[in-house]
Amino acid sequence: MNAPRHSVTVLGSTGSIGVNTLDVLARHPQRFSVFALSGHSRIDLLFAQCMVHKPRFVVATDAQAGPALQSRLAAQGSATRVLIGHAALDEVAAHEEVDMVMAAIVGAAGLSSCMAAARAGKRLLLANKEALVVGGSLFMDAVRTGGATLLPIDSEHSAIFQSLPDDRSIWPSVVEKIILTASGGPFRTRDPSTLRDVTPQEACAHPNWSMGRKISVDSATMMNKALEVIEAKFLFGMDPSRIAVVIHPQSVVHSMVQFVDRAVVAQLGVPDMRGPIAYGLSWPQRIESGTAALDFSAMTGLSFETFDSPDHRARFPGLQLAWEAMAGVSGTTAVLNAANEIAVAAFLEGRIRFDQIHAVNQATLAALHFEPPVSLQAILALDEKARARALEAVLSLAR
Ligand code: NAD
Ligand code: MG
């Protein structure tokens, strides 16, 4: 008899990770069925995904889009039920018939549904790094108490997870350092004095990866790596002093673990998110992902730069904010994330310059004093407060 299929909810199915997830799922119809999808914008794509994947539920988080989606699906005789609004994300993440949840919403908007999946003990595939940066130890507590299995989808964290021994209890005694690789983004070699003139289009043109706009800007400022350093601290229980970043422009080595005997284990592959997605879906097994094999005959060399020159610091000042935020009281990483979300949105809307993203993040971190949050509600309140403070910083800079 065939094994029962795993029922999967894909939150943020219309995004770059969401689309790649559905591509992998469609390669394995005997293994997986789609329980629910969600989208905020791109409702045409959400409609098309419902027609192909026939989920039981679809969540339209933007209330305006819900009714139109409902009538289009009804006109096609679709059995998919439309749910409207953010609370429905929690429902389809925690539903008793769901085995796995792909968290692929961008930003803190995905936190509540991640927490719901964690509390309900699901296999939680985490692409939505901001949710962990914001939720921090409360997020990890929910994973533990809910009995959830949290697996990283971020390529660096998937690489680290693939490089670590299976027995988690030995990680603290055998791991010396986690080394995250960073491509350096589109401005690795651009004259830093011209960074003030960067346009949103230039910032979103990543040399190696095709991604959503927010993470593309984060990759250009190196705030993506800052968020990933924080993500690594929580995911792997690693002291911040043991997390390092190395620039590796080819994006072939996805990250590395250095052990106490100085052996370094790395994971390699072409830059294609379907690799880490397939690993999360199939772990501890492996399945075909659609990713091309590395072509060693075409590889012209792998290079690495450590992150310690004055040029790097001037070019990517945001990276250091990760360690500053981790040294602060709990909740400081949530403040940094909120500031950055506001700053990136303001940059994409043409309200501030590229180099002012860092100024907004710094100003918000410096200005906000707060009690460490002890509940999801308190975190969301802090997130809101930090956004308001960051908006003030944007307004004071806006052209
Ligand atoms: P994207 O912008 O392409 O997609 C985001 C998804 O979230 C879409 O489905 C969108 O409709 C939904 N969404 C946006 N705002 C929302 C809101 N307020 N409420 C509910 N849903 C909302 O982003 P992406 O590139 O797919 O990235 C998704 C997440 O995965 C991010 O956290 C990103 O950092 C992480 N990630 C992405 C990649 C990548 O290659 N794209 C790699 C590693 C990690
Ligand atoms: Mg990454």
Side-chain angles (χ1 to χ4, degrees):
M1 232 182 73
N2 289 336
R5 294 194 299 168
H6 298 293
S7 172
V8 186
T9 282
V10 184
L11 302 176
S13 63
T14 54
S16 162
I17 293 287
V19 166
N20 277 309
T21 302
L22 290 176
D23 179 285
V24 176
L25 292 174
R27 291 167 188 275
H28 304 280
Q30 283 83 25
R31 265 178 190 264
F32 304 107
S33 63
V34 178
F35 181 80
L37 300 175
S38 95
H40 194 64
S41 48
R42 303 180 74 190
I43 295 304
D44 288 348
L45 175 58
L46 192 55
F47 168 76
Q49 290 178 338
C50 289
M51 296 310 293
V52 172
H53 297 278
K54 300 183 173 44
R56 185 104 80 79
F57 296 102
V58 60
V59 180
T61 39
D62 177 8
Q64 312 240 306
L69 179 63
Q70 204 152 26
S71 47
R72 281 178 73 180
L73 285 169
Q76 297 295 322
S78 162
T80 298
R81 259 190 69 196
V82 180
L83 306 174
I84 298 173
H86 279 86
L89 294 174
D90 297 12
E91 273 175 55
V92 296
H95 196 284
E96 61 179 11
E97 287 172 38
V98 170
D99 303 308
M100 303 183 186
V101 176
M102 168 58 76
I105 286 173
V106 57
L111 174 60
S112 176
S113 48
C114 281
M115 294 285 276
R119 286 197 207 100
K122 305 302 183 194
R123 174 181 290 209
L124 177 54
L125 308 176
L126 187 73
N128 183 194
K129 66 193 86 185
E130 296 93 345
L132 184 53
V133 168
V134 173
S137 45
L138 278 166
F139 188 125
M140 296 308 293
D141 287 348
V143 168
R144 255 186 307 274
T145 56
T149 304
L150 178 61
L151 298 177
I153 297 301
D154 221 339
S155 57
E156 296 76 1
H157 305 74
S158 175
I160 290 162
F161 183 61
Q162 293 180 56
S163 303
L164 284 166
D166 290 343
D167 181 356
R168 278 176 180 260
S169 70
I170 66 169
W171 292 357
S173 58
V174 302
V175 176
E176 186 169 67
K177 217 197 264 184
I178 276 179
I179 305 167
L180 297 173
T181 51
S183 69
F187 307 137
R188 186 175 59 89
T189 55
R190 180 168 165 150
D191 177 357
S193 69
T194 67
L195 289 177
R196 52 183 292 130
D197 307 321
V198 161
T199 64
Q201 201 187 352
E202 287 173 321
C204 288
H206 196 280
N208 305 343
W209 297 95
S210 155
M211 310 181 285
R213 282 164 72 77
K214 196 263 177 182
I215 184 176
S216 297
V217 175
D218 285 347
S219 299
T221 58
M222 209 49 110
M223 274 307 293
N224 181 50
K225 213 49 58 180
L227 297 173
E228 289 181 355
V229 166
I230 300 168
E231 183 184 9
K233 166 191 144 96
F234 290 118
L235 268 179
F236 303 116
M238 198 57 53
D239 189 86
S241 63
R242 297 208 204 186
I243 307 172
V245 173
V246 164
I247 294 186
H248 167 50
Q250 297 82 14
S251 298
V252 168
V253 174
H254 293 314
S255 278
M256 305 175 260
V257 177
Q258 179 175 309
F259 293 93
V260 289
D261 59 1
R262 301 287 158 82
V264 175
V265 177
Q267 185 259 332
L268 283 67
V270 298
D272 184 330
M273 287 307 294
R274 291 177 301 177
I277 290 167
Y279 189 65
L281 286 166
S282 63
W283 175 86
Q285 313 262 334
R286 288 187 183 258
I287 54 174
E288 193 266 327
S289 66
T291 302
L294 266 182
D295 180 358
F296 289 96
S297 68
M299 221 180 276
T300 50
L302 301 179
S303 59
F304 300 90
E305 294 166 25
T306 54
F307 209 97
D308 45 16
S309 73
D311 173 70
H312 285 137
R313 288 181 197 282
R315 190 182 294 277
F316 302 120
L319 181 62
Q320 203 50 38
L321 294 182
W323 283 273
E324 283 176 32
M326 289 187 290
V329 297
S330 98
T332 310
T333 59
V335 171
L336 175 60
N337 178 72
N340 187 56
E341 285 194 34
I342 293 293
V344 171
F347 166 68
L348 286 172
E349 289 161 10
R351 297 169 70 195
I352 60 170
R353 296 193 316 258
F354 180 75
D355 59 316
Q356 290 176 326
I357 294 173
H358 180 60
V360 171
N361 292 344
Q362 257 187 326
T364 309
L365 274 180
L368 218 61
H369 301 283
F370 55 89
E371 286 297 311
V374 292
S375 66
L376 177 59
Q377 286 68 27
I379 289 181
L380 295 176
L382 177 61
D383 172 73
E384 212 167 295
K385 204 169 143 187
R387 280 167 199 268
R389 185 62 193 79
L391 259 180
E392 284 174 30
V394 165
L395 289 175
S396 73
L397 292 168
R399 285 172 287 185

